[in-house]
Amino acid sequence: MLDFTPKEIKERASGGLINPAKTCQPIGAMYAALGIHRCLPHSHGSQGCCAYHRSHLTRHFRDPILASTSSFTEGASVFGGGANLKTAIKNVFAIYNPDVMAIHTTCLTETIGDDIPAFLNQAEIPEGKIVIHANTPSYVGSHITGFSNMTRGMVNYLSEATTETKKEQVNIIPGFVNPGDMREIKRLVKAMGINFIMFPDTSGVVDSPMTGKFEMFPKGGTTVEELKDTGNSKLTIALGSFASTDAAIALERKCKVPAKTLKTPIGVKATDEFLMTLRNTFVTEIPYELEEERGQLVDIMVDTHHQFHGKKVAIFGDPDIVIGLTELVLGLGMVPVHVLTGTPGSSFEKEVRAMLLESGLKGNVKAAGDLFEFHQWIKNEPVDLIIGNTYGKYIARAEDIPLVRVGFPILDRSVHSYMPIVGYKGAMRLVEMISNALLDRQDRDAADEDFELVM
Amino acid sequence: MDTGLAIRERLDSIAVKGKQKKQIKCDTDSIAGCVSQRACVYCGARVVLNPVTDAIHLVHGPIGCASYTWDIRGSLSSGSELYRNSFSTDLQEEDVIFGGEKKLARAIDDLVGKYKPRLVFVYATCIVGVIGDDLEAVCKAAAQKHNIEVIPVESSGFIGNKAAGYRAACDALFRLINSGETEKKKNDPKINYLGDFNLAAEAWIIKNYLYEMGIEVNVTFTGDSDYMALKKAPEASLNIVQCAGSMHYLARKMKDRFGIPFMNVSFLGIEDTSDSLRKIAAFFNNDEITRRAEALIDKEIRRIEPLIRGYRKKLQGKKAAVYVGGGFKAISLIKQFKELGIDVVMVGTQTGRREEYEVIHDLVNEGTVVLDDANPSELERFMLEKGAHLLVGGVKERPLAYKLGLAFIDHNHDRKHPLSGFVGAVNFAEEVYSTVCSPVWRFIG
C-alpha cells in the first residue's frame, strides 16, 4: 500500500495531510466525558461525528461507548442548533436519565456559531441534573485538545472552593491514557497513603467487568461530588502538558489550587518525579512496596540493556505519550531517530529535542506531522523498531520493521486498554514488549547456524 | 431499561408482528438526543465509493472525517492499493474563515504530482457545506489542469442521513460512467454487479459463480473496481443489485440512460443464492447458461448441505436478533436463520425502506419486534424480552451484545470471512455456532 511513498522529501504546498497521526477534538471530549460517573457525552452536530467517535472508541476499548447526538439536518444548520439542543436535553434526561450530560461541539456547530451557554440558559434542565459543555472545533488542535478542553470544562462548571483551608488531598489529571493506566496511577497514589481525586477517570466505564447485564452507566468515573471537591485540594498534578495542563491552570485560577505539570509517568525517571512530587507535598514516605517495584524494574533494565544499545527506534503518537516513551527508550540506551506527533504545538519539538540533546543525539522531531512524512524519514534513515498506534502497521509492513503497539487508537489487538504503560509496572511491561519484539525479530531472521536457544 | 420507550416520538418506529398490522415509520430524521446507531451523509458516500481502488479519495474538511474512514471498510483489491490511504485537506481555523478552495486546489496538485492517478474523488464534509466552498469549480479547474477526472461528492454530513450519502456516491459514479464513450455490445452475457464492496473477497466468490455459468462480470460497483473497469460499465446487458439500499438509485439511472435492465439479487444464504443465480440465468434465456447454473447450484448444495445440517442440529431452537444497516440484508438474514433452524425475534435497520419493512413483516413469526433507527436501550430491552441468544450487527452493537451475555456476529465492515454465496452460508453457520456455543458464556455471572 505504501509502495509509492517517495524517499525524497519535498515541502507540501497545500498543508494537506496524507495518513494522519491525529484526529479531531470531539472524540477526545467524548472520551474525557466518559470519565465522569453517570455521564452521557453529547455530540452537538450531525449524526456521523457521534457514530464515528463511538465506533472508533468501541474498536479501541471493546466496550459499549454511549453518546447522544443533536442529529443535525439542513434546517438546524441554517437556523442554528438551539432547538435541536433543547430537544436533545429534554430527551436525554427523559430516556437515559444520566446525572450529567457533557456537550461538545463539532466543526459544523462551531462554524454556524451556536452559543451553547446561551442555549443552556434557555433549556429546561431537570432538578438535580447537570449539563456541562466544551467548545471543540475540529479545525483546531487534535483529539488531545478536545480531551483537554472537556477536562477544563469539568473544572469550569463544577469545581468549587468551599473549605477555609485546603484539604490534604491531591487532584490528579491523568491525561488521554487507557483505563488500565488510570488504575495504575491510582494504585500508586493509594500505596503512598494520600487522599486523591482523579479526573477524568474512565476506569470502570470503558473497561467494565462482564456481569451479564448491560449497564448504561457502569460503576466507574469521577463523581460530581468529587469534581466539586477538586477546588478544596492542596495540589493539582497534571500528567502530560498537552492533555492536562489547561484544566489544572483553570483550577488554580478558579479555586487557588496550585497546579504542577509533570510528564505522563512512563519510565523510571517520570515515575520517580511523580512519586517524589507527592512525597514532597504530603510528607509521606515512599512505601517499600513501590521501592521494591522500582528495584525490580531497574533489575530488568540491567538484565536486558545489552539488547537495546544503539538500536534505532521511530516513535509516533499523542504528544504526552510520545514524550514519555522517548525518555523511556533513551533510558534503555536506544536511539530515537524519528519522533513525531500529529497534534500541533511547538513545545513538543522543544521538549523532545532537549531530551535528545542531553543524550548527545539529534533526530527528526516534528509536531503536526503525518505518517506519510514519518514513513519518508524511515526510508531515509531506517530503524530497528517502530513504536506507535495501529496505523503504524502499514509502515511496519512496507519497510519490514517490527511494531510495538502503544497509544491510541489500537484497533487490531485486544487487552491493551487493561494493561498499564505508566508507573514502574507499566515500564516493566513496555520493556518486555520492546525486548520481545526485537528478540522475535532476531529469531525470525537468524540463519540456522546463528539460531540460539538461550538469548 | 423501562424508560427505553419513554419517548413517544419513537413509538411509531416500533411494531410487533401479530398485533394489528402497522406501517412502521422509517426513512425519517433521527430525534435529537437519541443514542442513534446511525451515521451521516459523508459516511454513506465514503463507504460506497472507497472500494474504487485506484482513485485518490480526498476528504475536504477538518481531519476527523478522513481519520475515521481510513481503511475501515475491509474491501479487498486485486490491483491498486491507493484507496487504502487517508487523504485530507486538514482544514484549519483560518481556512474556515477565509475559505478552503485554494487549499483544496493545492492539495489536489500535491496528490496528483505524487500518485499520478486518473481519478480523484473530492468529498465535501459538513463544514464545506457551511463555508460554501465551490467544490464543483475547484474540481473542474483541477481536472482541466491535470487532464484527469476530478469528481466532487456532495456529502456534507447534515444534508440528510446515510441514504443521502449513498445517492451522492451514486451521482459521482454516474458522472464517471456517463462521460465515457464505450459502445454497448448487444446480448453478450455480461453483467455489472452492483452493491458488493468485496469485503473479505465476497465479490470474487460471486464473480466465480457467474463465470462458471458462462457470464462475465463487467464491473463490480464498487468492490475491487478501478477507473478503467468503471468506464466500461455501459457495456453490460444486465445490472444485478445486491445492496439495494446503496445501489438501487444508480441501477435506475443506468436503466434510464443506457437502457440496462436491473434486478435485485441476494447472495446471503442457500435459498437466496440459488434463487438469484436462477433469476440471472433466466434473464439470458440461454439453455447452456441455465444448465450450468443448475449444475453449479446442485454441486454446491450437495457439498454444503451436510455441513449446514450438522450446524442446524446444534442450533435448532435458538433465537436471533438482527440490527443491520439496510432492509435488504435484514430480509436475507431472516431467511438464512430459518435455514439454520433459528427464529428471528427482533429485527431492525438503520435505513430500511417502507417496502422492505413490509417484506420483513411478512417473513417473521408472530411476536417478532420490528424497529427502525433503534437506540441501544431499545435493542437491549427487546433482546432480553424476546430471549435472543444472538445479535447480528456492526461495530457499535458488538460490545452491547457481549455485555448482555449474548453471542454476536458482525455483518458489517468488520467481518473477517466472506458471508456471501454457498461458501458464505457455511461460514455464517460456523460463525453462529462458534459464538453461540462458545465455552466463554459459562463464566458469566
Side-chain angles (χ1 to χ4, degrees):
Chain A
M1 169 188 146
L2 300 183
D3 302 347
F4 296 101
T5 308
K7 200 169 169 181
E8 189 198 350
I9 298 174
K10 275 195 237 166
E11 196 60 37
R12 241 177 282 157
S14 67
L17 294 185
I18 304 176
N19 300 341
K22 65 170 178 180
T23 182
C24 62
Q25 283 209 51
I27 195 173
M30 186 183 283
Y31 180 52
L34 288 167
I36 303 175
H37 182 57
R38 291 190 57 82
C39 173
L40 188 70
H42 180 84
S43 168
H44 186 52
S46 312
Q47 286 183 337
C49 308
C50 190
Y52 279 135
H53 303 151
R54 289 179 56 213
S55 293
H56 222 58
L57 292 171
T58 300
R59 285 190 164 112
H60 178 84
F61 294 109
R62 299 183 187 229
D63 246 26
I65 305 295
L66 297 167
S68 51
T69 158
S70 290
S71 299
F72 261 55
T73 54
E74 209 144 11
S77 314
V78 176
F79 301 113
N84 277 50
L85 193 60
K86 280 173 231 161
T87 311
I89 290 171
K90 186 178 78 134
N91 285 338
V92 160
F93 287 112
I95 309 171
Y96 307 107
N97 194 30
D99 290 349
V100 186
M101 179 176 175
I103 301 164
H104 60 264
T105 54
T106 61
C107 52
L108 174 62
T109 49
E110 283 291 324
T111 309
I112 64 174
D114 273 2
D115 183 348
I116 307 293
F119 296 160
L120 293 185
N121 275 334
Q122 298 154 9
E124 284 172 45
I125 299 166
E127 181 87 28
K129 300 292 180 183
I130 291 167
V131 180
I132 68 171
H133 103 283
N135 290 94
T136 50
S138 320
Y139 42 76
V140 176
S142 75
H143 56 295
I144 298 300
T145 323
F147 183 94
S148 167
N149 283 338
M150 182 52 84
T151 309
R152 193 180 53 195
M154 295 172 198
V155 171
N156 290 345
Y157 275 89
L158 296 169
S159 300
E160 293 171 357
T162 52
T163 55
E164 284 274 307
T165 49
K166 295 294 180 196
K167 291 184 184 173
E168 281 294 306
Q169 72 185 18
V170 61
N171 300 323
I172 294 180
I173 310 178
F176 198 123
V177 292
N178 281 325
D181 296 312
M182 296 179 183
R183 285 179 192 272
E184 182 62 13
I185 293 168
K186 286 195 286 189
R187 189 183 68 87
L188 293 175
V189 186
K190 278 182 204 157
M192 295 281 292
I194 297 167
N195 291 330
F196 67 94
I197 298 166
M198 177 182 278
F199 75 99
D201 178 3
T202 59
S203 67
V205 181
V206 300
D207 65 350
S208 62
M210 173 66 77
T211 58
K213 271 193 218 128
F214 168 62
E215 302 283 351
M216 180 91 191
F217 303 106
K219 284 203 174 91
T222 319
T223 63
V224 170
E225 290 67 38
E226 287 171 324
L227 282 167
K228 284 184 179 163
D229 199 33
T230 54
N232 299 324
S233 297
K234 194 173 164 189
L235 172 71
T236 303
I237 297 181
L239 296 174
S241 58
F242 282 81
S244 306
T245 293
D246 280 3
I249 289 175
L251 194 47
E252 189 170 62
R253 288 205 185 118
K254 187 176 177 187
C255 302
K256 311 277 178 299
V257 180
K260 191 164 178 61
T261 299
L262 299 175
K263 284 196 183 80
T264 304
I266 297 172
V268 185
K269 205 172 155 199
T271 307
D272 285 352
E273 275 163 21
F274 176 53
L275 294 180
M276 291 310 283
T277 304
L278 289 173
R279 195 193 78 154
N280 294 343
T281 314
F282 295 94
V283 207
T284 59
E285 279 312 303
I286 310 272
Y288 176 69
E289 174 192 349
L290 297 185
E291 275 187 27
E292 186 183 40
E293 269 174 29
R294 184 185 192 278
Q296 286 179 315
L297 168 62
V298 176
D299 190 56
I300 289 168
M301 290 168 70
V302 169
D303 288 344
T304 52
H305 73 278
H306 55 280
Q307 297 171 18
F308 300 118
H309 177 76
K311 286 278 191 292
K312 288 182 181 176
V313 57
I315 307 170
F316 76 94
D318 297 337
D320 295 331
I321 305 300
V322 170
I323 288 168
L325 290 170
T326 305
E327 191 170 80
L328 174 104
V329 299
L330 283 168
L332 295 172
M334 297 176 88
V335 183
V337 288
H338 312 304
V339 185
L340 178 140
T341 183
T343 295
S346 56
S347 66
F348 173 82
E349 294 180 13
K350 249 183 265 165
E351 199 167 342
V352 175
R353 285 219 175 86
M355 277 194 281
L356 295 182
L357 202 64
E358 208 179 303
S359 303
L361 299 169
K362 263 184 113 169
N364 291 312
V365 182
K366 190 169 181 179
D370 63 18
L371 294 185
F372 180 84
E373 187 164 13
F374 191 67
H375 186 200
Q376 289 188 304
W377 288 352
I378 291 173
K379 276 188 174 296
N380 282 284
E381 186 173 0
V383 292
D384 301 296
L385 185 74
I386 300 171
I387 305 179
N389 62 40
T390 287
Y391 293 114
K393 77 191 279 184
Y394 302 104
I395 301 171
R397 184 179 170 90
E399 303 303 326
D400 194 18
I401 297 168
L403 167 69
V404 168
R405 285 166 176 79
V406 180
F408 173 86
I410 292 176
L411 309 170
D412 60 343
R413 295 290 187 273
S414 48
V415 199
H416 52 84
S417 64
Y418 294 79
M419 301 299 188
I421 59 165
V422 298
Y424 303 127
K425 287 271 191 206
M428 289 184 208
R429 178 167 168 259
L430 284 172
V431 173
E432 185 191 14
M433 284 159 65
I434 294 169
S435 162
N436 287 350
L438 293 170
L439 292 179
D440 280 346
R441 182 50 183 265
Q442 199 178 320
D443 271 340
R444 197 198 81 180
D445 293 348
D448 276 352
E449 61 271 29
D450 298 327
F451 189 66
E452 290 182 278
L453 179 72
V454 180
M455 293 170 85
Chain B
M1 180 189 283
D2 277 346
T3 47
L5 289 181
I7 176 164
R8 295 232 323 273
E9 292 100 314
R10 288 281 313 141
L11 287 175
D12 292 339
S13 303
I14 301 166
V16 179
K17 170 146 177 185
K19 300 181 183 168
Q20 73 208 59
K21 180 155 183 177
K22 141 176 163 187
Q23 286 290 3
I24 197 171
K25 190 171 149 198
C26 59
D27 214 1
T28 55
D29 296 327
S30 296
I31 296 158
C34 279
V35 179
S36 169
Q37 306 294 83
R38 273 180 176 173
C40 65
V41 182
Y42 163 74
C43 176
R46 181 73 192 248
V47 296
V48 167
L49 287 178
N50 201 61
V52 180
T53 58
D54 61 351
I56 292 264
H57 298 268
L58 173 59
V59 184
H60 186 34
I63 196 64
C65 308
S67 271
Y68 305 120
T69 49
W70 180 3
D71 203 23
I72 54 158
R73 185 92 234 228
S75 52
L76 304 184
S77 168
S78 56
S80 175
E81 298 275 333
L82 187 54
Y83 70 118
R84 302 187 65 180
N85 289 286
S86 175
F87 302 111
S88 167
T89 49
D90 187 29
L91 288 182
Q92 299 297 305
E93 199 158 19
E94 61 196 84
D95 305 315
V96 174
I97 297 165
F98 298 111
E101 291 178 12
K102 283 192 185 129
K103 193 170 193 184
L104 173 60
R106 283 198 298 265
I108 298 171
D109 292 347
D110 261 350
L111 292 171
V112 171
K114 278 198 176 74
Y115 296 99
K116 318 272 183 265
R118 276 193 274 198
L119 173 62
V120 180
F121 288 116
V122 178
Y123 298 78
T125 56
C126 278
I127 203 163
V128 171
V130 174
I131 64 177
D133 279 359
D134 189 345
L135 226 53
E136 192 70 49
V138 176
C139 290
K140 197 173 164 195
Q144 275 167 0
K145 182 174 178 186
H146 299 291
N147 195 27
I148 57 169
E149 296 207 44
V150 183
I151 298 179
V153 186
E154 298 298 345
S155 51
S156 285
F158 57 84
I159 58 174
N161 62 31
K162 209 169 165 185
Y166 297 151
R167 283 195 291 279
C170 288
D171 281 331
L173 288 167
F174 187 72
R175 203 162 150 160
L176 182 69
I177 56 184
N178 199 25
S179 60
E181 287 153 21
T182 41
E183 286 267 318
K184 187 179 164 190
K185 291 171 201 118
K186 288 265 182 261
N187 296 329
D188 276 0
K190 207 176 199 186
I191 66 174
N192 295 326
Y193 180 25
L194 274 60
D196 190 319
F197 305 99
N198 204 29
L199 307 187
E202 287 176 342
W204 294 336
I205 291 169
I206 305 309
K207 202 171 170 178
N208 281 337
Y209 290 161
L210 295 168
Y211 176 78
E212 271 193 55
M213 287 162 56
I215 295 167
E216 184 193 336
V217 171
N218 183 43
V219 57
T220 304
F221 285 87
T222 51
D224 191 27
S225 64
D226 59 23
Y227 176 80
M228 285 308 287
L230 288 165
K231 278 289 188 195
K232 284 190 260 174
E235 288 179 15
S237 42
L238 173 68
N239 281 338
I240 58 170
V241 185
Q242 158 92 29
C243 176
S246 63
M247 284 285 162
H248 183 260
Y249 175 74
L250 181 64
R252 277 225 89 84
K253 284 185 92 114
M254 286 169 80
K255 180 164 187 260
D256 293 347
R257 172 68 181 82
F258 306 112
I260 305 175
F262 68 89
M263 60 168 70
N264 286 338
V265 294
S266 162
F267 296 110
L268 300 177
I270 304 171
E271 184 189 335
D272 276 4
T273 302
S274 308
D275 287 353
S276 297
L277 294 176
R278 288 194 176 106
K279 252 165 73 180
I280 295 164
F283 172 85
F284 288 104
N285 195 20
N286 170 321
D287 290 347
E288 177 61 12
I289 289 177
T290 305
R291 191 191 62 75
R292 286 201 201 184
E294 290 303 332
L296 168 72
I297 293 165
D298 187 52
K299 177 186 77 178
E300 288 292 323
I301 288 185
R302 243 188 287 176
R303 186 175 65 80
I304 69 165
E305 209 158 38
L307 299 169
I308 298 281
R309 210 179 307 130
Y311 287 118
R312 187 162 45 215
K313 256 190 220 149
K314 291 162 181 155
L315 295 169
Q316 191 89 42
K318 298 282 183 198
K319 294 173 191 166
V322 172
Y323 189 72
V324 290
F328 209 66
K329 192 192 275 177
I331 292 167
S332 281
L333 279 167
I334 295 167
K335 293 190 212 165
Q336 200 171 359
F337 274 121
K338 276 193 181 150
E339 290 172 2
L340 290 173
I342 294 176
D343 267 347
V344 172
V345 292
M346 185 207 89
V347 54
T349 81
Q350 290 176 40
T351 56
R353 296 192 314 263
R354 182 170 299 274
E355 52 281 19
E356 290 166 338
Y357 277 114
E358 275 169 20
V359 177
I360 288 171
H361 188 271
D362 292 341
L363 273 176
V364 295
N365 292 333
E366 294 265 306
T368 294
V369 175
V370 183
L371 74 177
D372 183 66
D373 187 21
N375 55 59
S377 23
E378 287 167 3
L379 295 178
E380 178 201 7
R381 175 187 160 147
F382 293 119
M383 285 192 292
L384 293 182
E385 223 173 81
K386 294 285 155 192
H389 299 96
L390 158 79
L391 172 68
V392 181
V395 192
K396 297 193 290 293
E397 286 79 49
R398 178 192 293 269
L400 172 65
Y402 287 166
K403 285 289 186 234
L404 292 168
L406 300 185
F408 181 81
I409 302 269
D410 194 292
H411 216 305
N412 208 307
H413 307 185
D414 286 8
R415 69 185 84 160
K416 290 297 164 242
H417 44 222
L419 298 176
S420 262
F422 299 105
V423 59
V426 177
N427 288 340
F428 183 75
E430 185 183 357
E431 195 180 345
V432 171
Y433 172 68
S434 73
T435 180
V436 169
C437 301
S438 167
V440 296
W441 307 118
R442 288 183 216 148
F443 300 102
I444 297 173

